[in-house]
Structure formats: structure tokens, C-alpha cells
Amino acid sequence: MIRAGACLSLTGRFAPFGTQAANGLRLWAAEAGAELVVVDDESEPTVLEARLPELAANVDLLFGPYSTILARAAAAFAQRRGLLLFNHGGSGGRLNIPGCVVNILTPADRYASPFVAHLAKSCSGRLFTYCEIGQFGRQVTAGAGRDARAVAIAIDQLDFDAPPDGEWDLLSAGVYEDDVAVVNRARALPNPPRLVCSVAAGVASFADDVDNAEGVFGVGQWTPGAVGVVEAGMDEREFLRVWEERFGGVPDYPGVQAYAAGVIAAAAGPGPHWDTVAALDLTTVFGRFRIDAAIGEQTGHTAVLTRWRDGRSLIAR
């Protein structure tokens, strides 16, 4: 029997997402007949670093934590020990380590690409970005700048003390609570943005936490209906049915991407090595998996653009 392990945030600030990820891995383990050990990292890098060695010493497959800051700590540990780490929870910040880190997610600097493409079609002239703290947000906004300049959209950082006049659009990228606050603050301005996109808006709870979700775009790793034919693991209909039966409700992306990480690890065969993983090109319920073996970056998966309409988050067409 395969013995798999993960340090995940079951308590602390990342607990809502870490718990989803743990549930995703539990679904995979039940389907694959694997034994799964989940250790609480308490949302703290120091706790993660203290608990990873014993966990890693007793498992055949090692899955990473949720959040970029914790994923960086896990990646550094795996690199020091010469281990293969399946990273399903961090998309930004020095995580491309070929031979060591198997990245499941679209990189942070490509998160905003579908929103910028939408702006290009709607003839947007000015995009402002906002990021409170964190390398993830900085990478999202840096990627937005690259994409915007490529299609002749002017881009700048939003200053709430000197907000723009005329017509403008907003991209907010940060931790969930900060993103919600930024959306509320921006839409309350005397001259609010024409269009708003927020990383937080890709999460189902956004509509409950923001003043008004209507019309807000979200960018994220997954949403129901985003994937067609599935080649490995459960398809979307079956996955959502099993999830609802076991945990209730509909999963957010952390649960889906963690499940996909298990499917991908299993597809690489027993005791997977970098070469066998890098040779994979397949589609799970999460989307396409394909990595650039030379640099360790995920190239097959793409971010999904959604928009809130009548209390529902729908794929933006």
C-alpha cells in the first residue's frame, strides 16, 4: 500500500484552505487505496519545518502544504533532502526547482492573463493594480503588467490617497481578507473602477464576505465546468458527487488541486521520479498537467476567469 503524507493547515489563518486540501487528498487516498497521514502545520513555517522531517521519513509520497509561504519552506526542505515534493498549494515564489518540486498549479505570474485578455477585447485603456503584501500578489501584478503592456493597456499601481479619474479598471491580488477589503474600498470611491478583478473572488465565500459581489471578476486555478474530458481520476460529475456525499457542499480550488496532485503522483508509477513525472501529459478534473522539465514550471494548466452574477460565480465568457 502506498503511504502518503502532507503537512497542511488544519488550524491557523490558512485553515479553511488547508482543510479543503486535506479533504481532496483524502478523496484521492480512498480512491487509490493509499494510506494518508496529514500533519497540522498550524499555518506557521516554523511548525512546518519542525514536523516535516518525521513525516517525510515515513511516507512514499510527500505532498506540499497550502500557501506560497509554506510551500517555499517545504520546497527548501525537499531540496536539501533530495526528495520529490508534489506542490499543489503554492503558485508563487521560487518554487520552480527541477528534479525536486512537481508544480501542479498555474504560476502566479500567469494568474491575471485571462483578465487582461478580457480587457483587451473590451478596449480597456487603463488598468490599476493593488497588492498589500506578499510575494504571490507581487508576482500576480507583475505578470499583469507584462501582459497589459503586450496589448497596449496602460498599467499603474493604485494609490487610494490619489485615486484615478476617468474610466479605469482594477486588479487586486493579495491574501483573501485584504482582497475583500480592497474591493469594498475601491467600489466605494466617488469614481469607482469600471471593472474589478480580485483573486479572492475566485473563492465561493467571497459573496458572503464582500459588500457586493455582483459583476466582480475572479481569477483562480479551477471552477466547476472549466474542464471537459478527464483522462485520469474521477471526472467532474463524479468528483462533485463524492465530495458532496463525504464533506457536503461544493469544493473550492484547494480541494480539487490537492486531489489532482494525488492522481498525478499515482499516474507517475510507484516510487515516482522526476523523469517519470516530467514525461506526463494528462488531464485531471483540475485541468491539464504538463511541466517544463528544464525549469520545473507548470505549462499545461491555465487560470480560469470567473464573474459573479446573481449570487453565483460563473465562468466568464
Side-chain angles (χ1 to χ4, degrees):
M1 176 183 289
I2 297 172
R3 186 172 168 83
C7 273
L8 286 165
S9 301
L10 306 181
T11 58
R13 60 178 174 147
F14 300 129
F17 306 108
T19 300
Q20 285 251 340
N23 288 342
L25 284 174
R26 289 175 181 127
L27 285 194
W28 163 74
E31 179 185 36
E35 181 182 353
L36 176 67
V37 179
V38 177
V39 176
D40 185 8
D41 59 37
E42 301 177 17
S43 303
E44 294 293 340
T46 54
V47 176
L48 174 87
E49 290 162 354
R51 295 178 179 172
L52 261 179
E54 182 178 355
L55 175 69
N58 292 285
V59 298
D60 308 304
L61 292 175
L62 183 62
F63 295 97
Y66 177 84
S67 95
T68 292
I69 187 171
L70 293 172
R72 284 204 306 269
F77 167 82
Q79 188 174 29
R80 290 194 302 270
R81 297 294 183 93
L83 301 173
L84 197 63
L85 177 75
F86 287 84
N87 170 37
H88 59 85
S91 59
R94 301 190 302 277
L95 289 170
N96 290 339
I97 307 176
C100 175
V101 179
V102 180
N103 288 306
I104 310 298
L105 309 179
T106 297
D109 69 349
R110 298 208 318 263
Y111 249 66
S113 298
F115 181 60
V116 174
H118 179 85
L119 295 182
K121 291 187 292 184
S122 65
C123 301
S124 173
R126 296 195 302 165
L127 174 63
F128 286 77
T129 63
Y130 194 88
C131 168
E132 284 273 355
I133 57 173
Q135 191 170 49
F136 167 79
R138 290 193 293 271
Q139 287 186 307
V140 172
T141 54
R146 176 200 62 218
D147 294 344
R149 287 187 289 270
V151 293
I153 294 176
I155 188 162
D156 203 350
Q157 294 181 352
L158 175 63
D159 180 355
F160 275 107
D161 292 328
D165 53 12
E167 195 172 76
W168 62 288
D169 302 312
L170 172 65
L171 169 68
S172 178
V175 297
Y176 181 84
E177 296 83 0
D178 290 342
D179 253 13
V180 170
V182 168
V183 172
N184 286 338
R185 190 177 177 188
R187 296 182 104 188
L189 289 170
N191 179 41
R194 179 187 68 131
L195 299 178
V196 176
C197 182
S198 163
V199 173
V203 178
S205 60
F206 180 78
D208 297 323
D209 298 329
V210 76
D211 291 344
N212 180 11
E214 185 66 18
V216 177
F217 287 88
V219 283
Q221 297 282 350
W222 175 87
T223 196
V227 178
V229 176
V230 170
E231 299 169 327
M234 289 183 275
D235 63 18
E236 182 179 292
R237 182 177 180 180
E238 179 67 3
F239 179 83
L240 294 178
R241 182 190 68 79
V242 174
W243 183 283
E244 199 281 330
E245 283 183 356
R246 184 158 180 184
F247 308 116
V250 177
D252 273 319
Y253 62 88
V256 186
Q257 59 202 34
Y259 168 80
V263 171
I264 291 161
H273 299 283
W274 177 258
D275 290 344
T276 58
V277 176
L280 294 175
D281 187 349
L282 54 82
T283 301
T284 71
V285 66
F286 182 60
R288 187 183 179 195
F289 172 83
R290 184 76 177 100
I291 58 174
D292 183 327
I295 63 174
E297 183 172 299
Q298 175 60 223
T299 58
H301 192 267
T302 56
V304 181
L305 183 67
T306 59
R307 195 174 193 184
W308 285 90
R309 293 294 195 193
D310 299 322
R312 299 175 62 202
S313 178
L314 306 172
I315 295 174
R317 304 296 185 184

